Amino acid sequence: MNKLAENWLYQEYQQTGKDYASLDEVTVYDPVHDDFRNIDAEYKLIEEWLEPDKSCTWADIGCGTGNFSVYFAKKCDKLYAFDISETMLEFAKQKARSQLLSNVEFQQVGYLNMNLPDSSLDAVMSSLSLHHLPDYWKAKALENIYRTLRPGGRLYIYDVVIPDEQGDAAIQAFIESQAERGGDFLREDTLIHFREEYSTFDWIMKGLIARQGFTLSREVTEDGVLKRYLCQK
Ligand SMILES: C[S@@+](CC[C@H](N)C(=O)[O-])C[C@H]1O[C@@H](n2cnc3c(N)ncnc32)[C@H](O)[C@@H]1O
C-alpha cells in the first residue's frame, strides 16, 4: 500500500462491537460460545475440508482464545495464531503452554497487517472474525490471504452471514434462538453483533471470494445466518 496514503487505512486494532480487549469478555468467551457451538463438530469439519498433515503450515486469523490453533497445531508442522487483541492472545498462549506445544507462533497482528511471505501457507482458518472488517476491508483481507496461500491452498471461513432473501426474519429468528440457548447474555451478544459489527450478505461474501480469485468449493448454512465456506486458491 502507498505509504503517502496511510492515514486512510482501516484501524484494525480498534475494537468493533464486542470488546475483546476486555478481560471480562475474554474470560467468559469459551463458556458462552459452548452454549451455541459444537466445537468438536467444527474441528471435524475443518479437518475434512482442510486436510492437515504433519508437513503443513497453517494460519488461524482472529484466533481468539486459541481453541482451533491449539487443536490443529497438533496436526500441522507449524501454525501461526494471529489476533489483534493482546488479551485474547494471552489466553490462547496459556492453552498452548498447558499442552506443551512449541510449533504455534502467536503474533498480535490482523488480517490487514499480517505479513507472511507469498505462497507460504497451506491453509488459513478464519472463524467468526472476518465480520470485524467492513466490506472493502474484507476484500483487502482476502487479498492478503490469497497472496499468502500457496497455489491450491485452502481457506476456511466461518461467519455470521445474512441470507440474500428474508434477511430481517433470519436475523430476528437467530436472535431468538440465541436467547433460548444462552439467556440474556447471549441475546445481548447477538444484538451487539448485528448492530455494531459488519456481517454482510451471502452474495457479497461470495462476490468477494470469487473476485479475489478463489474457487468456492463447499458451503454450509446453519441456523439461517451461520455460514461456512471452503475456498481454494
Ligand atoms: C468472535 S472471536 C472468534 C475467535 C475464534 N476464532 C473462534 O472461532 O471462537 C473474534 C476474534 O477476532 C479478533 N479480531 C477482530 N478484528 C480482527 C482483525 N482485523 N484481524 C484479526 N483478528 C481480529 C478479535 O480480537 C477476536 O479475538
Side-chain angles (χ1 to χ4, degrees):
M1 192 90 51
N2 182 349
K3 282 243 178 285
L4 294 174
E6 267 176 359
N7 61 354
W8 62 268
L9 296 183
Y10 188 73
Q11 300 298 302
E12 70 175 332
Y13 286 96
Q14 216 168 274
Q15 293 291 324
T16 46
K18 274 270 157 178
D19 181 8
Y20 292 123
S22 145
L23 186 59
D24 288 346
E25 290 292 351
V26 174
T27 306
V28 298
Y29 184 89
D30 283 342
V32 166
H33 277 236
D34 281 345
D35 285 339
F36 74 101
R37 298 173 72 175
N38 179 342
I39 298 286
D40 287 336
E42 292 186 33
Y43 292 151
K44 192 163 174 280
L45 183 113
I46 295 172
E47 197 157 350
E48 274 170 32
W49 281 12
L50 300 186
E51 299 182 302
D53 65 52
K54 277 300 198 182
S55 66
C56 67
T57 302
W58 286 18
D60 180 9
I61 311 176
C63 67
T65 56
N67 292 326
F68 296 88
S69 304
V70 163
Y71 183 87
F72 285 104
K74 293 174 196 153
K75 297 175 185 284
C76 291
D77 177 48
K78 164 109 187 173
L79 197 141
Y80 292 96
F82 295 155
D83 204 289
I84 55 156
S85 158
E86 194 179 353
T87 320
M88 280 292 197
L89 285 171
E90 275 314 312
F91 259 65
K93 281 181 194 167
Q94 181 49 41
K95 276 188 194 150
R97 270 196 297 269
S98 70
Q99 303 200 27
L100 306 176
L101 289 171
S102 57
N103 62 339
V104 190
E105 184 172 328
F106 293 95
Q107 289 183 25
Q108 193 182 3
V109 294
Y111 284 99
L112 304 175
N113 73 345
M114 66 164 195
N115 194 17
L116 293 175
D118 291 1
S119 303
S120 56
L121 295 174
D122 298 290
V124 168
M125 293 184 284
S126 162
S127 174
L128 295 180
S129 56
L130 196 57
H131 68 263
H132 284 281
L133 295 175
D135 288 353
Y136 178 77
W137 299 102
K138 288 187 184 79
K140 302 304 287 180
L142 290 173
E143 184 181 306
N144 203 12
I145 292 170
Y146 191 88
R147 178 189 66 72
T148 311
L149 281 170
R150 66 162 169 77
R154 295 177 195 180
L155 164 64
Y156 163 82
I157 302 174
Y158 174 42
D159 219 326
V160 179
V161 174
I162 298 158
D164 299 345
E165 307 293 336
Q166 311 282 334
D168 293 359
I171 291 170
Q172 194 58 48
F174 185 63
I175 292 166
E176 281 157 23
S177 64
Q178 290 294 81
E180 275 165 31
R181 290 163 177 144
D184 286 347
F185 189 92
L186 198 50
R187 183 172 195 280
E188 182 59 22
D189 201 81
T190 314
L191 292 176
I192 291 172
H193 180 96
F194 289 109
R195 201 166 52 213
E196 298 174 31
E197 301 178 11
Y198 301 106
S199 272
T200 194
F201 285 112
D202 188 39
W203 65 268
I204 293 179
M205 289 296 290
K206 285 183 180 151
L208 295 171
I209 289 166
R211 286 183 77 107
Q212 188 46 58
F214 285 107
T215 302
L216 178 62
S217 39
R218 305 282 292 269
E219 61 179 295
V220 172
T221 309
E222 295 145 22
D223 287 330
V225 297
L226 295 174
K227 287 225 64 157
R228 300 176 201 271
Y229 305 98
L230 174 62
C231 317
Q232 188 142 16
K233 177 172 174 179

